[in-house]
Structures are given as C-alpha cells and as structure tokens.
Amino acid sequence: MTAAALASYLLTGLAGASSLFLVAAGLSLIFGVTRIVNFAHGSFFMLGLYLAATLVEAFGRTPLGFWGGVLLASAAVGVFGTIVEILILRRLYGAPELLQLLATFAVVLIVKDAALWLWGPEDVLGPRAPGLRGAVVIFGRAVPEYDLLLIALGPAVLGALWLLLARTRFGRLVRAATEDREMASALGVDQARLFTLVFALGSALAGLGGALQLPREPASLGLDLAIVADAFVVVVVGGLGSLPGAFLAALLIAELKALCIGLGVSKLTLVIEFLVMAIVLAIRPHGLLGRPEAAPRASAVDADGAGSTPPLAWILLGAACLLPLVLGGYPLVLAIDVLILALFAASLRWLVGPAGLVSFGHAAFFGLGAYAAGIATVKLGWPMAASLALAPVAAGIGAIAFSLVAVRLSGVYLAMLSLAFAQIVWSLAFQWDALTGGSNGLVGVWPSADVSGKPAYYLLTLAVVALAWLALRRFERGRLGHAIRAVRDSPLRAEAVGLDVSGLRRAALLVSGALAGLAGGLFAFSKGSLSPETLSIPRSVDGLVMVLLGGLASPFGPILGAGLFTWLQDEAARRVDFWRALVGLVILALVFFVPRGLAGFFGTHRR
Amino acid sequence: MTLLSAAGLTKAYGGVRAVDGVDLAVDAGQMVAMIGPNGAGKSTCFGMIGGQIRPDAGRVQLDGVDITAYLPKARARLGLGRTFQVAQVFTSMSVGENLAVATRGAALPLLLDRVGLAGAADRPAAALAYADIKRLELALALATGPRLLLMDEPTAGMAPAERRSLMTLIAGLARDDGLAVLFTEHDIDVVFGHANRILVLDRGKLIAAGAPAAIRADARVRAVYLGHGDGSC
Ligand SMILES: Nc1ncnc2c1ncn2[C@@H]1O[C@H](COP(=O)(O)OP(=O)(O)OP(=O)(O)O)[C@@H](O)[C@H]1O
Ligand SMILES: [Mg+2]
C-alpha cells in the first residue's frame, strides 16, 4: 500500500471515528451520571437515522431541508429518550443492574418493532448532503466532502461538550454526579431533573450520530444492536464516563478498522475490536482514561442453592418421561425446545445468580456448542455422539478465552464485554462462509438413526438435560460452588481468606459456558440446521428473560422460565405481528412487578 | 520477634498523599494500635499491608518474606488475616457455611465459641445484627489460622461491654498463641486498655509511636488528636 492510499484510508477512519464518538459520548454521559448502561442507545441512533431520512424527504433536498431535518431528528430522539427515562428508567435507579439492562433491552425490542411498523422491513436510503456531494482530492485520492465535515465534527462536538461540562452550572452538576454521587445528592442537586436532562442530551447525541449517517449508509433494522455493541466497546476501551477517553477509543478503533479494510483483511475488523478491548482491559481494567469504580454494587437478587431436590422434581421427571406417550408432532417438538432452553437458562442462571457474573452474550456459548456439533457432523462426518460431546468442549474453550479478559472485570463492564464477545462470535458465524455456511447456515445436522424419531430424540434430550441439571445442582451446592458464591458475595473477603478469585470466576464461566454449549449441541441436532440466529444477541436476552421469569433464587426457576417463555413466544408469534414488542412489554412488566421471578410465588426456601 | 514490618509505605490519590512514608513493625504476641483522626490514612495503610491496595512506594515484610508484590490470597496463605472497616462476610450463606468456605475443615464450633457466636452456625449471615457480623468476620479472619491479624475498627457498632469482651478475646489470642495484632480504633479506652504499642497517624504521616504512657504524654499527639476533646473523634 502506498503512503497516499494509507493516508486516504486513515481519513476515512477519522470520519468513522466521529460518528462512533457521537454515539459513545451519549452512552458514556448517561452512564457517568445515572450508572445505567443503556442498551437502547443503538436504537436511538437507528431512530435518528430513520427520522432524518423521513424528515429530509419531507423538507426537500435543500441545504436547509437537510440540516433542518438532521437537527430535528436529533431533537426528536432527545424527546423520545426523555420519555423513556421518565416512564421507565426513573423507577429503576436503585434496582440491580440486571433489571436495568433488561428494561433498556425491552426498549430495544419495542423500538425495533415500532420502526418495522413505521418504515417497513426494507432499508431506507437517504439523500446525499446538498452542497457536499463532491469530493476533494487529497494525496491523489478523492475524499468525499461529507467525510471531511464529519472529521471536523467529532472534535467540535467533543469541544462543545467539554465547554458545556466545564463552564455551565449543568456541567458542574454532571461532573459532580459522575465523580461522586453521594456528594452530589448531599449538595442538594435535584437528581431527578439532572438525570432526565442528561438522558435527553445523551439520546439527542445518539440521534444526531444516526442522522448524520444519512448520506453514508441506509437506515436498517439491524443497526440498533450493531451500533450499541460498537459503542459499548468504545466506551469500555475509553473508560466508562470519560468523554476524552471515548474520543480516543473511537479514534483508535475506527482507524484500526480502516486499516484492516485498507490492507484487504476486512474480516479482521470484527475481531480487531475485541482484540483491542482485550489488550486495553488487560493493561488498564478501567479503560484508557477511566477510573476505578468506587464500590461494586450489590449483586443481583439473592440466590440460594440450598434445600434437597424435592420429590416434586422426581415426579416431574417421571411425568416428562411419559410425555411422548401422550404428545406427538408439534407439541413434542416444543417440548424438546423447552428442555434445551431449560438447560441453557439453567447455565445462565448459575452464572448470573450464584456466580454473580452478569452476561449479556450467553448465546455465544450456546452457538459455539451448536456450531461445533454441526461442523463436526456436516464437514467432518463425525458420528453424533462425538459431535455432541464436542459441543460443551468447544463452548468451554470459548468460555476460557472470554474469561481471560473477563475475570478482571465485574458488573457492567462484564455485561458489556460479554455482549461484544457475543457480537463477535455472531459475526464469525455470519462471515466465515467456508466453515459455518455464512448467512445460509449449516444444513443436514441430523441425529443418528436410532434417535432420529422425535420421541426418541425427546428422551435423549430429557436424559442429557436432566443429568446436566442435576450435575450443575450438585456443583452449585458443593465446595467449589460455595467458594464461587463466596466470591460473588464479597470478593474482598474471599481473597482475604485465600481464595483464588480469578480462578473461581474462570471456573464459574467454564461450567456455565460448557453447559450452554451442550444445550447448543442438542439444539443443532433437534433442528437439523443452524443459522447465525442461533447465537444472536436476542437469544442471549431470551435466556435472561427465562431466568427472570423463573427467578434467580431457585434452580427450578429456569425450567419454569423456559416452559413459560416457549409457550408465550409460540402463542405470540402465531397471533401477533409485532411479537417482539410484546416480549418487550412482558420484560417491562416482569422488571416492574415480579423482579424476583415467578418461582418466588411458589415459596422458594429462604432460610 | 518481628513478624510484620513495613518501610516507607506511601500512597497518593490524585494530589493527596493518603499515606506518606510510614514505617512500622509488629512483634509476635504484640497488640499494636494505629490511631488518628478520620482520613488520617489508617485504612489505606491496612490495605497496603493486606494487599488490597498497591503502594506507590515502600516495602512490606511478613516474617522476613518480602510480600510487597503478593496478592491478598498469597498473603493469607502466609498467615495474614484481616477484617475490614465495613465488615465483609458472605451474606448469602449461613454462619457455618461462611466458615466452611474459609477453613479447610477446621473445628467450627470452637471457632464460633471463641468469637461469641456459639450455636449460631445455622443462622443466615444476612439476619445477624451488625455486632454479630463483626464477630463472624473476625471468625473468618481467624479461620485461616493467621499469625498476623489486622483489624480495621473491630468494635465499631458495638456496645461498650461487647467491645471489652471482644478485645479481651483478641488479647488472649495474642498472649496465648503468639498472634501479632495490628488494629485501628476510635474508642480511646479500648486503645489504651489493650494496646502494647500505639502508632499515631495524621494526614498520612506517622507523628508518634511508642508505649501508651509515652503517647498519652506526647504534646503533638495531644494537639492533633487527643486534644479534640471527648477523645472519640
Ligand atoms: N480510593 C480512594 N480514592 C481517593 N481518595 C481516597 C481513596 N481512599 C482513601 N482516600 C483518601 O485518603 C485519605 C485516607 O483515607 P483512609 O480511609 O485511609 O483514612 P482512615 O484513617 O482510615 O479514616 P477513617 O478513620 O475515616 O476510617 C482520605 O483523605 C481519603 O479521602
Ligand atoms: Mg478507615
């Protein structure tokens, strides 16, 4: 590559950095003040882009129409963010992180279906910016004028935000709240108003970031999660709550991505992001310019693995064995789904509850298991038993790889990292055509002849899931399980009595990942085919919803949760067009009204 | 015999030197109190000795081994036990389960009896009163069989009678088992009633060290600390 070509790639990278920064800045501001990780931030971006497309179309493609449309879209998203804050988040500031994250994810689902309803499933193309349609020749290459504008805009917004924070009363309050919440509240800051204002500003920035992309990319429904994953990486690398950090990180990541594309290794772009994050966090666990979090917040809802396996469990198991006698066809297929999801949810409940490690990317392990089994069967011709055995091994290896970075983190950092990890595994499945079949997926993952009938496969699944569930329960109540829970309860105390905190967290992730992988392996053979959907973010969230439905406190929760969820989804998908939004509403209802899960209703043993 | 020695311990936060060049030593069987006004740097000192805080400068030795770079878990294995200013126990477990995590099968009832929690093995830690949580934490710190015990405000939140009995217990351990004890305490009666030596910290610096009688007479100490009036800060 010539120096000129390099320079032009770097310029493109700069433009990318600006838009990345706009989104990340809002996320970082909101987190700094409210301590809420806003999953819906990518949705705000997406909304900004769609709205800008519509508004510019309505106003006409004049400079005034364009810029008016962009600004109005940004403002509208700010208003929308305000409404979300007042209606939903305001009630959750003291709640466990898991509930906050789920609530913002509910917003993602609702916004996605709203966008589908308003703009349809097709991508919406925007006009180019009037007056900036040309290109400037720099180093002998044409660089779009609009890119140059964006390049200038990033630092300009950083400067404006800096002025706002440094020079105004609002800014002083924001800084006070970011640095020391207790002090800010002691100073008599009207917190509710401050939080709302910050949320409005943050969402408007995300909306602006989206609107400004109008000439560069079409509005599409997949943007929300793609963007929020990117923004998470930027914010984590830069340091939560630090705007200059976010700017630096956006620059670093966008330039590295541009370089990868320039060098013709565009597939590396996805992994490079994770690598950067891994390296930065390994050296600086709080990001480039971030500072250590004061005290880690109380972990999620109480979890308790006590009590012996009640007779009810054995009765249920007996009944489940007899199920194929009365059920057939589609209901039996659903029953297999429930079993597999119950194992998936049980592995996640173990991680989020007793181990205290909030994961938003658990589908990555499920998918690693599923794809490992699928690839071994289809590409390598392994027998089913061997492929199925490979599933937990592959997922376990993935979990160990993830844990190398993850064990040093906790709370929201971990949640964001897990999301980014899952996004990357998803991209690999999506793009590595030769191995995974890319977007078409893998077909022909059939079970061996003796379990190819549905009743037989059901019984196999039941046996594997029941054994895995019992093993997990034993593990949870054993010495190691207690030590892991001790680390969750108080890492300080655990270390002070000589426990290996990192090692125990790694073990917790390994167990959880391997079991999720086993569930994935069973899934692959039950469906006969795999697509990247298998390990997409929504599946991770499905898992969390099941866990939440069932409640963290009881090991039976996931079974109950998986059953209810499968039934609800099946009913909803058949009857309602916008079932995703419905799931979003169900999540919100759960978060607000039954935060401890439905198993709580059935008198879980609290000693 | 010197069990713990620290030299030149320093830690700054931003521009503030929380601890500034502190030297100290604790012998086996000795009870040493570290006192000083709020924010003097006591907890920061304990953090650097316990391994929770990485010092900017200085060294820590435990029984002749330089442990400055050791993680807390390695220090625990070498015989360092500690309690925290805000008690740290495993709140989702019962008292017995708490200790089972910390010990490798040591005699539970004895330990509970020692700290005054006899018969409480099955009670959930979350249901304990704060003074009992402090006791449980002490039992956890003792469960690993330490040779050096650090206690950051062990009697905070306890009634006067409870304070005395707890400190008498600790003094017994020091005397009988040769445990070296370093503790901070705001209750001046507890300090002068139990410490063999007293270290006085003010704004990160050690301003006096010596026997209780000498400390009581020290003019500088009186000025910055004891002179505050009621003596309990
Ligand atoms: N993590 C931290 N970040 C910034 N400053 C800190 C931090 N920890 C302690 N400090 C500061 O260092 C100084 C010493 O704090 P330290 O907690 O060691 O005091 P202390 O003597 O234990 O006080 P107290 O009697 O209130 O417990 C204080 O000024 C405190 O504000
Ligand atoms: Mg202190």
Side-chain angles (χ1 to χ4, degrees), chain A residues 338-358:
Chain A
V338 169
L339 287 173
I340 291 171
L341 290 177
L343 179 55
F344 177 55
S347 72
L348 183 59
R349 172 207 160 256
W350 150 251
L351 195 64
V352 174
L357 301 171
V358 175

Side-chain angles (χ1 to χ4, degrees), chain A residues 137-476:
Chain A
V137 176
I138 300 177
F139 305 119
R141 289 187 171 243
V143 178
E145 283 171 354
Y146 193 76
D147 279 11
L148 292 178
L149 177 85
L150 278 187
I151 291 173
L153 214 59
V157 170
L158 177 64
L161 284 175
W162 183 82
L163 276 179
L164 181 73
L165 293 185
R167 294 291 160 80
T168 64
R169 190 181 126 76
F170 170 72
R172 261 201 313 284
L173 294 182
V174 167
R175 277 183 301 139
T178 305
E179 274 150 33
D180 188 343
R181 292 183 89 181
E182 265 81 75
M183 193 173 77
S185 59
L187 287 174
V189 176
D190 182 354
Q191 277 207 353
R193 241 190 52 173
L194 180 67
F195 283 19
T196 311
L197 279 176
V198 166
F199 215 86
L201 176 63
S203 353
L205 280 173
L208 182 65
L212 284 172
Q213 285 300 92
L214 192 58
R216 301 183 88 216
E217 64 179 321
S220 72
L221 291 170
L223 277 175
D224 48 3
L225 289 178
I227 292 291
V228 82
D230 274 349
F232 277 3
V233 174
V234 168
V235 169
V236 168
V237 168
L240 277 174
S242 163
L243 286 180
F247 187 75
L248 216 60
L251 210 60
L252 182 69
I253 286 169
E255 286 300 359
L256 281 173
K257 279 188 163 184
L259 268 183
C260 283
I261 294 169
L263 292 170
V265 283
S266 57
K267 283 191 180 166
L268 239 141
T269 50
L270 296 155
V271 187
I272 201 91
E273 217 169 296
F274 190 70
L275 282 182
V276 169
M277 183 152 72
I279 293 168
V280 169
L281 291 182
I283 301 167
R284 296 186 60 92
H286 306 286
L288 291 173
L289 300 182
R291 280 177 310 159
E293 271 287 278
R297 239 176 329 153
S299 53
V301 205
D302 59 333
D304 177 346
S308 57
T309 311
L312 180 68
W314 301 111
I315 297 170
L316 272 178
L317 186 62
C321 285
L322 299 176
L323 207 59
L325 294 178
V326 291
L327 283 189
Y330 184 62
L332 199 57
V333 171
L334 277 188
I336 295 175
D337 283 354
V338 169
L339 287 173
I340 291 171
L341 290 177
L343 179 55
F344 177 55
S347 72
L348 183 59
R349 172 207 160 256
W350 150 251
L351 195 64
V352 174
L357 301 171
V358 175
S359 165
F360 255 90
H362 211 54
F365 305 118
F366 184 84
L368 279 172
Y371 268 95
I375 290 166
T377 306
V378 176
K379 306 265 165 174
L380 306 176
W382 285 20
M384 174 179 164
S387 302
L388 202 53
L390 181 67
V393 175
I397 291 172
I400 291 293
F402 173 64
S403 74
L404 290 181
V405 186
V407 288
R408 293 166 55 106
L409 311 175
S410 59
V412 288
Y413 272 90
L414 186 71
M416 294 208 236
L417 188 75
S418 65
L419 181 93
F421 177 74
Q423 186 69 18
I424 285 150
V425 175
W426 176 82
S427 316
L428 283 177
F430 196 77
Q431 300 200 345
W432 199 344
D433 287 355
L435 196 63
T436 65
S439 55
N440 297 326
L442 282 176
V443 288
V445 195
W446 295 116
S448 56
D450 42 350
V451 288
S452 60
K454 279 298 162 206
Y457 195 77
Y458 168 83
L459 288 176
L460 171 76
T461 307
L462 180 62
V464 173
V465 169
L467 281 176
W469 185 85
L470 283 170
L472 176 61
R473 192 163 154 68
R474 279 193 76 123
F475 178 79
E476 186 180 332

Side-chain angles (χ1 to χ4, degrees), chain A residues 485 489-490 493 498 500, chain B residues 73 77 82 88 92 103 137:
Chain A
R485 215 166 88 208
D489 281 358
S490 170
R493 170 52 59 209
D500 178 1
Chain B
K73 62 177 180 195
R77 284 174 199 149
R82 71 162 296 180
Q88 296 287 323
S92 75
T103 58
E137 195 194 25

Side-chain angles (χ1 to χ4, degrees), chain B residues 155-176:
Chain B
T155 71
M158 289 188 179
E162 292 179 319
R163 293 181 181 207
R164 270 193 301 280
S165 74
L166 188 87
M167 292 312 288
T168 310
L169 160 80
I170 303 287
L173 290 174
R175 195 181 53 237
D176 303 338

